[in-house]
């Protein structure tokens, strides 16, 4: 199991998909990734919970491989037990083989049944290689031009996810629509959301205005000011003390 989890971690690291999409800072994001990936792998291996094939969790291909390694590993465990265990209260090998065989048979029937009723367009989710970043990019591109509310979600996840797409999507969208949002003030266009947006994704004139009112600062100081300064209050005039 330890080797299996280690390979899963290595796969995620090599794909640049180990850290989670959650917008956490520093060591907290790293620790969260270790724990969440571990929990995800354990759940997949022992429960075959289908939701974990989502690209932001195990991913399609790792999910399928994990299921197969669990099945093979079960028989390997029986073989190792029968050949290397020398305890007094040894379980009959035939009993173990029957139990494992029955469980694998139930799993196989369940998997075939699920595959037969699932919509054909979702079958690829069991073998695709999308990462969290590539999945979110496809989802963003699938949205219509007027779906600002849905698009605003992507600036609440960690910047590493969408910055990997380059500047042609998120930055182009925010620069184009920022003036309109300031005029219309949609419900999602809040102080908290604005402060989550990287400076370079805000039009220059608004960056200048935010900086003059101390509502926005450079990236190195931004984290220190978040939570203690309201952008709209500062743009309006007074600085919090």
């Amino acid at each position: 199991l330890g080797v299996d989890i280690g390979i899963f971690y290595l796969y995620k690291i090599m794909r640049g998909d180990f850290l989670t999409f959650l917008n956490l800072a520093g060591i907290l994001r790293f620790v969260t990734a270790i724990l969440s990936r571990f929990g995800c792998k354990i759940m997949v291996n022992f429960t075959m919970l289908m939701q974990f094939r989502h690209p932001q969790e195990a991913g399609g291909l790792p999910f399928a491989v994990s299921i197969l390694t669990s099945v093979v590993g079960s028989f390997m465990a029986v073989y190792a037990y029968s050949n290397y265990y020398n305890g007094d209260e040894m379980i009959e090998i035939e009993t173990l083989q029957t139990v494992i065989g029955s469980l694998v048979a139930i799993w196989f029937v369940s998997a075939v049944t699920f595959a037969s009723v699932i919509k054909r367009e979702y079958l690829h989710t069991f073998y695709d290689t999308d990462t969290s970043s590539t999945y979110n990019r496809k989802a963003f591109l699938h949205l219509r031009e007027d779906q600002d509310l849905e698009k605003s979600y992507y600036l609440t996840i960690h910047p590493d996810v969408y910055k990997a797409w380059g500047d042609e999507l998120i930055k182009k969208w925010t620069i184009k629509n920022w003036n309109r949002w300031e005029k219309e003030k949609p419900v999602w266009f809040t102080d908290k959301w604005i402060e989550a947006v990287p400076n370079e994704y805000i039009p220059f004139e608004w960056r200048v205005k935010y900086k003059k009112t101390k509502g926005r600062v450079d990236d190195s100081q931004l984290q220190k000011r978040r939570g203690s300064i309201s952008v709209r209050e500062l743009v309006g005039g007074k600085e919090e003390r």
Side-chain angles (χ1 to χ4, degrees):
L1 180 60
V3 173
D4 195 20
I5 293 175
I7 293 174
F8 176 67
Y9 275 20
L10 182 61
Y11 173 84
K12 284 289 187 180
I13 291 170
M14 291 178 65
R15 298 295 311 281
D17 197 35
F18 181 71
L19 297 176
T20 67
F21 65 94
L22 299 175
N23 196 0
L24 303 173
I27 191 67
L28 181 59
R29 190 181 183 214
F30 182 73
V31 172
T32 300
I34 292 176
L35 297 177
S36 65
R37 298 304 184 197
F38 179 81
C40 171
K41 179 64 174 170
I42 294 297
M43 290 294 289
V44 170
N45 278 28
F46 291 98
T47 70
M48 200 175 73
L49 192 62
M50 296 297 178
Q51 287 83 347
F52 280 99
R53 73 186 192 278
H54 193 285
Q56 293 184 161
E57 298 296 342
L61 184 60
F63 177 89
V65 171
S66 293
I67 297 301
L68 293 176
T69 57
S70 293
V71 173
V72 174
S74 298
F75 288 105
M76 290 178 64
V78 172
Y79 174 82
Y81 179 81
S82 64
N83 285 274
Y84 301 105
Y85 181 74
N86 298 316
D88 295 331
E89 299 180 1
M90 188 172 183
I91 302 174
E92 290 292 332
I93 302 305
E94 291 76 11
T95 302
L96 284 176
Q97 291 174 339
T98 301
V99 171
I100 296 299
S102 300
L103 291 174
V104 170
I106 293 172
W107 166 80
F108 182 77
V109 171
S110 299
V112 171
T113 302
F114 184 83
S116 66
V117 299
I118 191 176
K119 291 183 178 179
R120 301 278 80 83
E121 60 265 32
Y122 295 131
L123 284 176
H124 72 93
T125 62
F126 288 93
Y127 56 80
D128 69 26
T129 57
D130 271 334
T131 64
S132 177
S133 182
T134 59
Y135 167 80
N136 279 292
R137 184 179 188 277
K138 290 177 182 179
F140 185 88
L141 288 170
H142 186 71
L143 295 172
R144 299 190 310 271
E145 181 69 23
D146 61 344
Q147 290 185 286
D148 288 339
L149 172 61
E150 291 78 5
K151 290 181 178 181
S152 68
Y153 154 77
Y154 293 93
L155 280 161
T156 66
I157 60 181
H158 198 279
D160 286 354
V161 175
Y162 56 80
K163 284 188 175 183
W165 310 347
D167 292 338
E168 78 280 4
L169 292 179
I170 297 286
K171 185 175 181 179
K172 182 179 179 180
W173 170 66
T174 57
I175 295 294
K176 177 182 177 181
N177 294 285
W178 200 275
N179 287 337
R180 177 171 62 83
W181 296 335
E182 283 287 352
K183 292 178 181 178
E184 298 177 358
K185 294 180 173 54
V187 293
W188 53 265
F189 193 64
T190 62
D191 292 341
K192 184 177 181 180
W193 186 87
I194 292 173
E195 292 189 3
V197 180
N199 280 343
E200 64 269 24
Y201 284 49
I202 299 175
F204 177 75
E205 61 272 20
W206 282 103
R207 270 189 284 163
V208 171
K209 183 174 182 178
Y210 292 149
K211 190 169 185 178
K212 285 182 177 178
T213 58
K214 299 181 181 179
R216 299 289 294 190
V217 293
D218 60 83
D219 288 333
S220 64
Q221 300 176 20
L222 185 57
Q223 290 289 343
K224 298 178 182 179
R225 302 189 68 93
R226 286 178 181 170
S228 63
I229 295 177
S230 169
V231 173
R232 290 198 188 284
E233 288 177 359
L234 291 172
V235 170
K238 293 185 179 181
E239 179 176 353
E240 252 182 58
R241 297 183 182 279

